[in-house]
Every structure is written in C-alpha cells, then in structure tokens.
Amino acid sequence: MSSPTAVVLRDLGLGDLLVAVPALRLLRRALPDHEIVLVAPQALAPVVSLVEAVDTHVSELRGYSPEVRSRTPDLAVNLHGAGPQSHARLAALGARRQIGHAAPGWDGPAWSDDPARPERRRWCDLLADAGLVSPETAAGAADDLHLPGRRAVPGGSVVVHPGAAYGSKRWPAARFAVCAAALQARGHPVVVTGGDDERRLTAEVVARAGLRPDADLGGRTDLAGLLDLVAAASLVIAGDTGISHVATAFGTPSVTLFGPVPPTRWGPPPGAAHVVLGDDRARRGDRFADVPDPALLAVGPEDVLAALPSLPGGVPA
C-alpha cells in the first residue's frame, strides 16, 4: 500500500519558506510514515530540494484532490496563513484531518501578531496545538533553520543586497555603497546582487562604491546561483528580505537591516553569526510604505561597519 499523504500549503516567498523549515521538520518527526507534500512556488525548487523533511514538491494542489488520486489525503496543513483563501484551497482536498488557525470549519488557535513571537515559532506552535508534538518540543525545534550547503571559502565574497520588495525595507543605496567601498578598501571582494527588476539599483551601488563593473550581479543570478553565492560568501549585508534568510539557513555571517518589521518576528535566532540592526524606538511599522521606515533610516553605514568585529570568519573592523 502507498503511504498516507500530508499536504502542506506554504505558497509564499523565499523567506516565508525558510522560516517554515522547523515546522516541516517537526511534521516529519511526527509523521515518519507519511508522504509529505509541500505546495510552494516552482521557482523555489532549489531551496525545497535542500529540505530533507519534504518528499514531494508541487506548485498546485489539483493533483492531490481525491478525484485525481482516487484516495483522500490523510492530512492538510495550512502553514500559509489564516485567510479564507488558503483554508478554502486546502479544504477542497477533503482531507481526513485539517490543521490550521481558527476559521469557519477549522479548529485551531486564534491568529496572533504578537511581535515578540518569532514567525518560525508560530508554525511549530500550530503543530503543538494540534497535538502532533509537545509544546516543549515545538519550542526547542523552532530555531532549527539550518540547511545543508555552506562551504565557506577563504576570502569569500562579501554579498551586498540593496533591494527589497517594498520601499519601507530599502536602506538607501548610498549607504550600501559606503559599506561596499569600505570593505573593498580592506581587501574583500564585494559583489552586489539583485533581481532583474533591480538592475538600476545594483548598478547605482556599484558605481557609487567604485566597484568593478563585473561586481554588479543584478539580474545575473537565478535562485540556484544565489544559493551557491551565499553558501560560499564571507558576509552578507542586506535588508529584511529573502537573501538574509538564506544567510541564516547556511550559517553565513550576516548583517540584516530591519525597518517596519521587528527582528523579534522575522530575524535570525540569537547567535554569533548574525547581527540585526534597526531602531525599535523609531519604528513606524508600515510594511507597504514607499519610503524607508524610520527604524531603518536610524542605521548608518558606520553602524554596519562597527558590527563586523562581532562576526566570525575574519571580517575586519
């Protein structure tokens, strides 16, 4: 007989997937004989392939409906959110059991935006509330964000990533450039990364910092290439965006600049490999604003450079 199936929805971005890795591991521990199917964007396949808890990665749910597979999934788990859309997508599977936050037709804990609880902890607590693991186990596992792939290279590149999805999370390009120029002056190879729609931004940082043109990787790396780059890097400097979560997953030393969202929610676990910067007193908290949050603007290049001696890997002050 084939294995029972647990279908997990996390159809979001790169950072969202990476903070859900501890919950996926807990699910595997609780259901060792199940096929764990993760529904996530196909573009994230290079990351999903590193998550040993996942057996099957799909980008849509239709193939797991009873009509197609001639059997009902054993379990549907909503690690996506608490909105009616995600609940409805999973409810259509007709799974024998559903796990998610409270909503019409769904039993579970009420959604909470407590800024003191890390997002990675939210999903582990959800599984504990469902009785799949103990609360103590959930608490102990929530910081296990590590993924295989780190291969520290002596003198590896410093990766500067100035982009973010919203203006509220974008530290000024001129400040990234000051950091890049200072690190290049100290003998570190520096590269600037960004998506295809961030080419102008990466070019600005490269030009302001006086870097060689080939240091501009804007639009020139796919996700697999970005993973390889971060895995071999000596340092990542970025805002609160996907690449900072990749650095956390690989254990690559990083400095992450936080604006509207507090690092207690989305930052890395406490540890020597990562530094988070941002002024909690100045935080406005508008995630979708077009301008940088005051908590972000309160950080200067000198603050980033002053944080480097606390990081491992030989990054100089």
Side-chain angles (χ1 to χ4, degrees):
M1 294 179 63
S2 57
S3 300
T5 302
V7 180
V8 183
L9 181 64
R10 187 68 171 170
D11 196 10
L12 296 166
L14 175 58
D16 301 286
L17 171 60
L18 290 171
V19 298
V21 166
L24 290 167
R25 289 191 171 121
L26 284 177
L27 193 63
R28 163 57 67 213
R29 186 187 307 182
L31 305 173
D33 297 324
H34 280 60
E35 176 195 11
I36 294 181
V37 178
L38 176 66
V39 184
Q42 185 58 39
L44 298 184
V47 177
V48 177
S49 68
L50 300 177
V51 184
E52 76 291 345
V54 175
D55 298 306
T56 304
H57 173 209
V58 299
S59 58
E60 50 85 21
L61 281 167
R62 184 174 53 83
Y64 284 83
S65 65
E67 293 80 8
V68 173
R69 289 174 60 88
S70 72
R71 64 189 179 95
T72 300
D74 185 58
L75 183 66
V77 184
N78 191 345
L79 298 186
H80 186 91
Q85 296 89 351
S86 58
H87 277 350
R89 289 173 68 185
L90 283 170
L93 298 179
R96 293 184 178 88
R97 185 184 180 193
Q98 299 177 154
I99 294 176
H101 287 86
W106 289 68
D107 294 326
W111 184 270
S112 169
D113 280 323
D114 178 1
R117 181 171 70 163
E119 188 69 10
R120 60 188 179 273
R121 177 72 183 271
R122 175 196 301 281
W123 307 108
C124 296
D125 288 346
L126 178 65
L127 299 182
D129 185 88
L132 292 182
V133 298
S134 70
E136 294 76 18
T137 298
D143 288 350
D144 182 14
L145 297 166
H146 178 264
L147 290 179
R150 173 75 168 146
R151 55 183 194 288
V153 175
S157 296
V158 172
V159 177
V160 174
H161 189 88
Y166 299 100
S168 62
K169 293 185 176 184
R170 290 189 206 115
W171 204 43
R175 301 188 191 186
F176 276 110
V178 170
C179 295
L183 286 163
Q184 177 181 244
R186 297 170 187 176
H188 288 268
V190 179
V191 296
V192 182
T193 59
D196 193 57
D197 59 343
E198 295 171 330
R199 287 176 181 264
R200 291 180 61 182
L201 177 60
T202 59
E204 178 185 353
V205 173
V206 167
R208 284 178 175 269
L211 305 180
R212 291 167 49 95
D214 60 5
D216 184 358
L217 300 184
R220 293 170 52 194
T221 54
D222 58 12
L223 180 55
L226 187 66
L227 296 178
D228 287 341
L229 187 66
V230 174
S234 62
L235 174 68
V236 172
I237 301 174
D240 171 25
T241 189
I243 193 170
S244 64
H245 294 284
V246 174
T248 299
F250 286 156
T252 299
S254 68
V255 178
T256 303
L257 308 161
F258 277 84
V261 179
T264 50
R265 277 287 304 277
W266 285 92
H274 311 288
V275 170
V276 296
L277 298 175
D279 189 341
D280 291 339
R281 299 164 298 178
R283 180 165 291 112
R284 185 170 55 220
D286 184 354
R287 295 175 56 192
F288 307 112
D290 293 330
V291 296
D293 191 276
L296 191 62
L297 293 178
V299 180
E302 67 279 4
D303 299 311
V304 173
L305 297 173
L308 300 184
S310 66
L311 295 168
V315 179

